[in-house]
Amino acid sequence: MNLSEKAIKLGMKAVYSYLDRDPTANIPKILDWLLEHDIGKGVTKQVVAVKEAIADPNSNWSKLIKSLWTDIDAGQRKVLFENFVVNGSMIGTPIQTKVSEQYDCNVPWAILMDPTSACNLKCTGCWAAQYGNKMNLSFDELDNIINQGKAHGTYVYLYSGGEPLIRKDDIIKLCEKHNDCAFLAFTNGTLIDEEFAKEMLRVKNFVPCISVEGFEDATDFRRGKGTYQKIIRAMDILREHKLAFGISCCYTSKNVDVIGSEEYFDEMIKRGAKFAWFFTYMPIGADAVPELMVTPEQRKFMYHQIRKFRKEKPIFTLDFWNDGQFVGGCIAAGRAYIHINANGDIEPCAFVHYSDSNIREKTLLEAYQSPLFKAYRARQPFNDNMLRPCPVLDNYGRLAEMVEETGAKSTDLKCPENARDYCDKCKTAAEKWAPVADELWKEIDYKPITSGKLKPHKVM
């Protein structure tokens, strides 16, 4: 760690200590200080947005911030602040930018990886169900990925699968070894128990994001009978131990009315969720169910509901597709994140199962400079309308074009899928969404600058 990084760490520790003494009184003072000293105006817009959001002590944002002090263990709150904010952004982002400029490639803020393809559930339409326990990244491989990532300024690591908590012991060991990183897992939640909660509380740098499909009927329809009650028990355990957690919601043509309902949001907030990440169903692989794809009207419904609840509900929300406005379009291929599957294939996105690199054959930096990732970088954003960010779902044929141009291969070991076939399954959805998205885009006042490295934009 150089002197500049040490200074940042010491300074932010002092800031956090001051904040922690009286968050209600001191957050506005810290924001005023940032505004006064933001000579280059690099964060002024974001700080002003936060100030406006918390100006009313009864606003949803004020309530959410207050709940982080009343509901979350003090030790975990401090560690997550240091690892996400200080290491992940203040220290990590300048390193990412330097490496990106030096090698003319994207360098991700976060790396999503699959410890295993195994899962204890068989959810309808999920590609992981095809594989079973056939693929695994060893502890040493996971450790090596993190070591390489940190050298490039990446301090945030997410797990998916399969069910990542099948590898509970290794996940905890990685949290211990890399205590300067923040870890999150997209999990079905059914393997969270008292013992694991105590381990989470001990390491403090791990946060589960529990997959929920709505209420009991909708969740059990896709994930199996009894799953919802197991999820509720997991949430109860996490809340009792004052552990931070969020939810991951895949909205489909069958559950969108529930996922987007006020009753559902209120229930998840009551259960203790502090954030919610929304995805729309993608027809990946041989077992895909295209009928589960949402209609343009349903996607528009979610667009409006999530924005409405951002002004009303004490929960932080992200919509992987509909929030392209705030991040300048597609964030894949290292612009914000990459995906490494359980076979070691380095993919642009969790929803794009094509690759020309494998972690067992290339370094991360070599993968960032691979033809496929370079093709993404050259084309991002894929559309001037940031509500049409995706090269699969929103811009017909763009993925197939890149795959064919670079010679990337399908990473589906059981039933390799031609990229054109995958795009074809999304063609109608792309064509029908386009006019709807274009009308919505005309209504938006705030439009981001999209050139270069991903820059943060207000999400208030």
Side-chain angles (χ1 to χ4, degrees):
M1 185 184 302
N2 60 40
L3 288 176
S4 176
E5 291 173 358
K6 287 181 179 179
I8 291 173
K9 279 184 173 288
L10 287 172
M12 291 309 296
K13 281 185 178 180
V15 168
Y16 183 83
S17 178
Y18 175 71
L19 173 64
D20 203 35
R21 285 199 294 271
D22 187 351
T24 302
N26 292 340
I27 286 176
K29 295 177 183 177
I30 290 173
L31 294 174
D32 287 337
W33 181 88
L34 285 171
L35 287 175
E36 183 181 345
H37 292 83
D38 185 25
I39 297 173
K41 305 301 179 185
V43 297
T44 292
K45 184 179 289 187
Q46 290 79 14
V47 172
V48 169
V50 173
K51 275 200 70 174
E52 291 173 353
I54 66 171
D56 177 3
N58 295 314
S59 73
N60 60 311
W61 291 101
S62 294
K63 290 176 181 177
L64 176 59
I65 291 171
K66 183 178 179 180
S67 76
L68 300 180
W69 267 263
T70 59
D71 300 351
I72 306 301
D73 173 77
Q76 188 189 44
R77 184 175 61 246
K78 182 173 183 290
V79 167
L80 292 176
F81 174 83
E82 291 176 351
N83 293 1
F84 268 114
V85 179
V86 181
N87 297 342
S89 295
M90 298 186 71
I91 290 175
T93 299
I95 299 172
Q96 295 161 26
T97 301
K98 182 178 179 180
V99 175
S100 175
E101 291 174 350
Q102 181 178 354
Y103 293 97
D104 188 27
C105 63
N106 288 334
V107 178
W109 181 76
I111 293 177
L112 173 66
M113 48 193 181
D114 301 346
T116 180
S117 62
C119 186
N120 60 322
L121 299 180
K122 292 186 177 181
C123 303
T124 302
C126 176
W127 64 83
Q130 300 177 41
Y131 301 130
N133 189 17
K134 293 180 180 178
M135 301 186 294
N136 296 278
L137 292 173
S138 70
F139 176 88
D140 288 342
E141 288 172 328
L142 293 165
D143 180 46
N144 183 43
I145 291 168
I146 297 168
N147 281 325
Q148 288 188 59
K150 287 198 293 185
H152 308 140
T154 303
Y155 285 87
V156 178
Y157 294 86
L158 304 90
Y159 298 111
S160 57
E163 170 49 50
L165 294 192
I166 286 177
R167 299 281 297 280
K168 281 182 185 179
D169 292 345
D170 283 341
I171 284 175
I172 291 297
K173 288 177 185 175
L174 289 166
C175 287
E176 290 176 312
K177 185 169 183 180
H178 300 281
N179 58 9
D180 54 350
C181 293
F183 295 92
L184 180 146
F186 293 102
T187 171
N188 61 45
T190 62
L191 300 179
I192 294 173
D193 53 21
E194 290 279 350
E195 182 180 355
F196 186 62
K198 291 176 182 176
E199 286 291 271
M200 288 173 56
L201 197 57
R202 181 175 65 82
V203 297
K204 296 181 175 58
N205 57 341
F206 177 83
V207 178
C209 186
I210 300 174
S211 299
V212 195
E213 304 296 333
F215 293 113
E216 190 161 16
D217 288 347
T219 296
D220 286 1
F221 166 78
R222 187 160 180 235
R223 298 187 175 271
K225 187 171 178 60
T227 302
Y228 185 77
Q229 289 304 320
K230 291 178 181 178
I231 288 172
I232 295 303
R233 177 56 186 151
M235 290 181 175
D236 290 343
I237 291 171
L238 294 168
R239 191 173 64 254
E240 289 162 6
H241 286 82
K242 303 193 79 171
L243 287 161
F245 74 92
I247 57 172
S248 171
C249 308
C250 177
Y251 55 92
T252 73
S253 60
K254 303 296 183 183
N255 70 359
V256 66
D257 291 339
V258 174
I259 292 288
S261 70
E262 186 165 17
E263 293 78 10
Y264 177 69
F265 269 71
D266 289 343
E267 177 67 14
M268 292 299 104
I269 292 167
K270 185 180 86 171
R271 293 290 176 184
K274 299 302 177 189
F275 64 92
W277 199 325
F278 295 88
F279 303 88
T280 190
Y281 177 76
M282 293 291 285
I284 300 171
D287 294 337
V289 184
E291 293 75 22
L292 289 177
M293 296 177 69
V294 294
T295 65
E297 292 74 23
Q298 290 173 324
R299 182 169 169 180
K300 180 180 178 181
F301 167 75
M302 288 301 299
Y303 170 91
H304 285 302
Q305 289 297 91
I306 290 173
R307 279 163 173 71
K308 176 176 182 286
F309 293 144
R310 279 195 186 126
K311 299 176 182 177
E312 302 173 352
K313 307 294 182 184
I315 186 169
F316 183 78
T317 55
L318 290 168
D319 187 321
F320 197 75
W321 274 270
N322 284 345
D323 279 341
Q325 167 198 357
F326 304 112
V327 291
C330 171
I331 63 172
R335 191 162 167 270
Y337 95 111
I338 65 166
H339 178 237
I340 304 175
N341 70 16
N343 192 49
D345 299 308
I346 304 170
E347 302 169 336
C349 175
F351 302 97
V352 173
H353 294 186
Y354 301 88
S355 175
D356 57 4
S357 304
N358 190 288
I359 198 63
R360 292 162 183 158
E361 300 166 354
K362 291 184 181 180
T363 65
L364 285 177
L365 189 55
E366 288 170 337
Y368 300 158
Q369 299 173 82
S370 73
L372 182 59
F373 277 38
K374 286 277 195 176
Y376 261 80
R377 179 175 167 84
R379 290 166 172 82
Q380 289 168 322
F382 292 100
N383 199 301
D384 290 336
N385 182 341
M386 301 303 154
L387 300 180
R388 298 170 60 189
C390 183
V392 185
L393 185 61
D394 301 321
N395 298 279
Y396 173 68
R398 298 307 296 275
L399 173 67
E401 173 187 296
M402 292 186 292
V403 168
E404 291 168 0
E405 173 187 306
T406 62
K409 305 296 183 185
S410 171
T411 57
D412 188 324
L413 297 183
K414 183 179 177 182
C415 300
E417 184 173 33
N418 183 283
R420 292 228 168 254
D421 292 337
Y422 181 30
C423 290
D424 285 346
K425 285 188 282 189
C426 300
K427 182 179 181 181
T428 300
E431 292 174 344
K432 290 186 175 181
W433 173 245
V436 177
D438 289 346
E439 283 301 311
L440 292 173
W441 189 243
K442 291 177 185 176
E443 300 170 2
I444 292 175
D445 293 327
Y446 175 75
K447 292 183 171 67
I449 298 171
T450 59
S451 60
K453 178 71 178 174
L454 175 69
K455 296 178 177 66
H457 299 286
K458 66 177 183 179
V459 191
M460 303 297 182

